[in-house]
Amino acid sequence: MKKIVNGLLLIAFAAGLAACNTVEGVGRDIERAGEKIQRSAQ
């Protein structure tokens, strides 16, 4: 189950990263992805 969730998060992260135009936007996306991974690990 965790592998599926992590895979989906990775895909969502990659799509979000592709949509970013600024370094600040990339930082926000990385932070959100990290928060989602932490929540899924709990």
Side-chain angles (χ1 to χ4, degrees), residues 1-2 4-9 11-12 15 17-19 21-22 24 29-31 34-41:
M1 181 68 177
K2 276 189 179 182
I4 294 171
V5 172
N6 286 339
L8 292 174
L9 287 173
I11 291 169
L17 188 60
N21 292 325
T22 65
E24 183 180 354
D29 287 346
I30 291 171
E31 184 177 358
E35 289 171 354
K36 288 180 183 180
I37 291 170
Q38 285 179 341
R39 279 189 240 129
S40 69

